[in-house]
């Protein structure tokens, strides 16, 4: 109905002082889109995301809880592990998969529900800014930055914005490329499915697999990232 179509999700952005600095409004509205196979215009639901103008978004974030209905967690500046995801829904799905992985014993001993937080950065370009902020607050933490893996877009246009952003940020001139500072900052990528190339982030993967089947995928990425830290493998090589 019309009232349901106007429903919106309001999510806050905070800074390291734990104060709300902005809000994101997520709404779904009907939009005409051309079907590539039939070349006909079809009515689809489009997700729009909006911030308050002139309010802070750079290096602002939200620590998400497993249950989004509960709200968000208080930021823990002393956590051992931080998972930074691009969007709010992606961060929620990653949090659910993380907790499922912990319950199933899939993650290394360095991960617990108490020492690990999942942060939504709200945009691809803000991932590195949040990582820089967290690193300045907690120099010893493990930071796992999660970029989208746009395999379907790669097939269509040869471009993969998520991977390109990762390669740029971890290059020698990139904001996360300083190994002396970001040795413990590592990339985590969502799985790619040959029969479902539209899956590009952890929320897409959750919808496709379900939380229990997604948990091993996230655990594998995190455990592999920890091994790269332990073996001091340059992250730029992994991104490329």
């Amino acid at each position: 109905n019309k009232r349901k179509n106007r429903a919106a999700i309001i999510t806050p952005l905070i800074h390291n002082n734990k104060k709300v600095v902005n809000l994101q409004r997520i709404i779904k509205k009907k939009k005409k889109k051309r079907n590539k196979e039939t070349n006909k215009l079809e009515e689809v639901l489009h997700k729009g995301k909006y911030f308050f103008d002139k309010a802070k978004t750079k290096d602002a974030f939200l620590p998400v809880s497993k249950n989004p209905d509960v709200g968000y967690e208080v930021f823990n500046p002393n956590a051992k592990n931080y998972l930074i995801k691009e969007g709010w829904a992606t961060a929620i799905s990653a949090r659910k998969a993380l907790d499922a992985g912990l319950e199933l014993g899939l993650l290394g001993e360095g991960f617990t529900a108490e020492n690990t937080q999942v942060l939504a950065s709200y945009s691809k370009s803000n991932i590195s800014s949040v990582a820089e902020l967290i690193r300045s607050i907690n120099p010893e933490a493990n930071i796992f930055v999660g970029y989208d893996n746009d395999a379907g877009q790669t097939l269509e246009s040869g471009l993969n914005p998520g991977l390109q952003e990762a390669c740029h940020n971890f290059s020698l001139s990139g904001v996360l490329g300083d190994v002396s500072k970001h040795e413990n900052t590592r990339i985590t990528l969502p799985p790619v499915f040959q029969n479902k190339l539209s899956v590009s982030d952890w929320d897409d993967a959750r919808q496709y697999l379900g939380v229990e089947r997604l948990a091993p995928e996230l655990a594998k990425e995190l455990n592999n990232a920890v091994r790269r830290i332990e073996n001091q493998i340059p992250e730029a090589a992994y991104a490329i």
Side-chain angles (χ1 to χ4, degrees):
N1 58 34
K2 290 183 178 180
R3 180 171 294 180
K4 187 174 181 180
N5 289 339
R6 291 197 299 267
I9 297 173
I10 306 295
T11 65
L13 288 75
I14 69 166
H15 203 242
N16 62 327
N17 57 11
K18 304 177 184 178
K19 292 183 178 179
V20 174
V21 294
N22 205 334
L23 296 173
Q24 183 184 64
R25 182 166 60 103
I26 305 172
I27 62 172
K28 288 185 177 181
K29 56 184 179 181
K30 292 181 179 180
K31 185 179 180 181
K32 295 286 186 180
K33 186 176 181 181
R34 191 171 298 280
N35 187 310
K36 293 182 180 179
E37 295 181 359
T38 64
N39 201 35
K40 294 181 179 179
L41 287 175
E42 297 178 351
E43 198 171 67
V44 297
L45 277 177
H46 171 72
K47 184 185 290 185
K49 301 176 182 179
Y50 308 94
F51 295 105
F52 280 98
D53 291 340
K54 299 180 180 179
K56 183 179 179 65
T57 57
K58 187 177 185 300
D59 64 33
F61 59 92
L62 180 72
V64 301
S65 63
K66 181 170 65 172
N67 184 353
D69 295 331
V70 173
Y72 58 91
E73 296 179 343
V74 175
F75 173 60
N76 178 7
N78 300 309
K80 182 177 180 179
N81 306 295
Y82 298 94
L83 283 62
I84 304 175
K85 303 300 180 184
E86 182 174 331
W88 175 79
T90 303
I92 290 290
S93 292
R95 178 77 230 193
K96 290 180 177 181
L98 172 73
D99 288 340
L102 289 169
E103 290 174 8
L104 293 168
L106 301 175
L107 286 139
E109 60 183 15
F111 293 94
T112 68
E114 292 72 30
N115 73 7
T116 304
Q117 284 203 304
V118 181
L119 313 178
S121 70
Y122 289 94
S123 73
K124 177 172 74 263
S125 60
N126 198 37
I127 291 175
S128 58
S129 298
V130 174
E132 280 274 84
L133 175 67
I134 298 301
R135 180 62 67 213
S136 69
I137 296 169
N138 190 338
E140 304 302 320
N142 295 327
I143 300 175
F144 304 97
V145 288
Y147 297 92
D148 290 358
N149 194 354
D150 305 287
Q153 191 170 338
T154 304
L155 185 64
E156 289 183 3
S157 64
L159 301 175
N160 191 322
L163 283 180
Q164 288 171 292
E165 184 78 7
C167 289
H168 172 71
N169 287 337
F170 280 91
S171 66
L172 293 177
S173 59
V175 67
L176 304 178
D178 184 351
V179 178
S180 64
K181 183 178 180 183
H182 284 289
E183 182 179 359
N184 292 0
T185 304
R186 300 289 163 155
I187 298 167
T188 57
L189 296 173
V192 172
F193 306 99
Q194 290 186 349
N195 59 339
K196 191 73 172 178
L197 291 177
S198 60
V199 171
S200 65
D201 61 36
W202 292 101
D203 188 50
D204 293 339
R206 177 196 57 79
Q207 294 178 57
Y208 182 58
L209 292 177
V211 173
E212 286 191 4
R213 291 172 61 200
L214 181 62
E217 299 288 345
L218 179 61
K220 180 174 67 175
E221 277 292 294
L222 292 171
N223 291 335
N224 286 341
V226 169
R227 280 191 284 271
R228 294 197 302 275
I229 291 174
E230 293 171 346
N231 295 321
Q232 299 182 327
I233 298 173
E235 201 65 357
Y238 173 75
I240 294 169

